[in-house]
Amino acid sequence: MIKRLISFFAGDRSARGGVLVTSDQEHDEVFKRATDLISPLTKMHGRQDSFPEGRRQSLFSGIADLHAVTAYNPQNWAAFWFKGKAYQALGNKDAAKREFQASFALEKQNPDVAREYGISCSELGLVDEAVLAAKHALELKPEDAGLKANLALALLLAGKISDAKETIAESLKASPYDPISKSVERVIGEVISGKRKQPRFVADLERSC
């Protein structure tokens, strides 16, 4: 019990809600309550827009519930993943990466787990981790053009320009009109031509050349 309380109170201060899970039934109920709060406020891939304060508090409440869930059941990879999505929506990149990493450590067969872990690494400029996670996700779902684009972006941020160019070409071959893939292709071309400096972080892509 002491270890569970330590694990729970090691979470984000703003997300502590005094929640404590002590049984499997409570675990399931609190997990559902949390995911019902978080799911409508997040995007499948990437950060949501800014929220009114009331909706931010819903995310913090969901996080508090999920801290209690993972304190009781540290093997619940989905709870860590949903915490990552909530932090991602709130713009807390470090916390999102921590939770996605914990989810990925437990679940290696779900491409969305690897995808979000890789995205969170790219956000922080952890390019080697981002490349490995993006490759892992693509191995699980090799036909997914979006995963190819994610890998191309990770390779670009890692400075592996020729590999990035080859990978984004494969993505566009699978989905020629995908706007994200076309944007990544454009940035890669600008880096190769010298029009744009080599990006290191995802935020660099939003800056002028």
Side-chain angles (χ1 to χ4, degrees):
M1 179 63 69
I2 292 175
K3 289 182 178 179
R4 289 175 185 169
L5 289 174
I6 290 173
S7 175
F8 172 54
F9 284 110
D12 187 291
R13 289 179 182 271
S14 63
R16 296 174 186 170
V19 184
L20 185 63
V21 171
T22 59
S23 70
D24 289 350
Q25 180 177 345
E26 287 180 354
H27 168 278
D28 294 345
E29 291 173 352
V30 174
F31 177 76
K32 184 178 187 305
R33 182 174 72 199
T35 56
D36 285 347
L37 281 172
I38 292 170
S39 293
L41 301 177
T42 60
K43 289 182 177 179
M44 183 56 188
H45 311 130
R47 181 183 170 184
Q48 181 61 287
D49 297 329
S50 60
F51 297 105
E53 187 58 30
R55 292 194 172 188
R56 288 176 59 84
Q57 288 306 313
S58 293
L59 288 169
F60 285 129
S61 295
I63 289 168
D65 280 348
L66 292 176
H67 280 325
V69 167
T70 55
Y72 177 79
N73 178 13
Q75 300 303 308
N76 188 335
W77 64 266
F80 287 108
W81 189 87
F82 273 103
K83 278 194 282 182
K85 292 300 296 179
Y87 279 124
Q88 184 186 70
L90 291 164
N92 189 333
K93 297 176 184 178
D94 290 305
K97 187 261 183 181
R98 180 183 69 235
E99 302 297 343
F100 287 135
Q101 185 173 18
S103 181
F104 183 64
L106 294 167
E107 174 53 60
K108 294 290 198 300
Q109 300 306 310
N110 187 318
D112 284 324
V113 172
R115 182 201 306 260
E116 296 293 356
Y117 174 45
I119 290 172
S120 69
C121 291
S122 292
E123 291 276 357
L124 293 170
L126 302 172
V127 293
D128 292 336
E129 288 182 64
V131 169
L132 289 175
K135 285 182 176 179
H136 186 91
L138 189 56
E139 287 171 1
L140 294 173
K141 199 173 181 182
E143 74 284 359
D144 192 309
L147 294 178
K148 289 184 173 73
N150 285 352
L151 176 56
L153 176 58
L155 290 166
L156 170 64
L157 297 178
K160 300 178 180 180
I161 308 301
S162 60
D163 290 340
K165 182 179 179 181
E166 179 180 340
T167 303
I168 201 61
E170 293 175 3
S171 177
L172 286 166
K173 184 177 180 180
S175 184
Y177 303 106
D178 178 62
I180 295 176
S181 296
K182 291 180 75 67
S183 294
V184 174
E185 181 190 41
R186 176 179 55 79
V187 173
I188 292 171
E190 290 172 351
V191 171
I192 291 173
S193 70
K195 184 179 178 181
R196 179 188 289 266
K197 292 182 180 179
Q198 165 66 43
R200 174 75 180 182
F201 299 89
V202 171
D204 293 337
L205 303 177
E206 300 171 0
R207 298 169 187 157
S208 60
C209 300

